[in-house]
Amino acid sequence: MGLTDTNYAAVGGWDIRQTKLGDALLEEQILDYDLLKQVREDMNNDYPVFDPRFIETIQHATANHVLSEKEVPNASEALTCIRTDIRYFKWKNE
């Protein structure tokens, strides 16, 4: 059984910095450069955020794209926010 057609693939993600995701992938060399050239523009259209309670302490200094405790006062609200983001991503990429 082979891989499915890549036209059916959707790529997304979250980052704790305000750097656009495609640019962050380039900076951190996460993807092969040829693959990155194909997805970078689409990835730069996403501006996800993250909850600081789920960020490693060492990353707090560079994490500038986070949800505040006012926006998500508890872990349950943070989880709801993340689930909503995932549902939106799935809907957008159906």
Side-chain angles (χ1 to χ4, degrees), residues 16-68:
I16 59 174
R17 300 177 300 139
Q18 287 180 333
T19 306
K20 294 178 178 181
L21 291 177
D23 295 342
L25 290 170
L26 178 64
E27 287 175 21
E28 302 301 326
Q29 301 176 2
I30 302 296
L31 296 176
D32 176 75
Y33 184 74
D34 291 331
L35 176 58
L36 179 59
K37 286 191 309 188
Q38 297 174 50
V39 300
R40 185 176 179 189
E41 186 177 322
D42 288 334
M43 295 298 288
N44 277 341
N45 291 329
D46 292 335
Y47 289 93
V49 293
F50 211 74
D51 184 322
R53 291 169 288 199
F54 296 103
I55 299 170
E56 202 55 49
T57 305
I58 196 167
Q59 295 176 308
H60 280 212
T62 58
N64 59 9
H65 206 215
V66 297
L67 295 170
S68 69

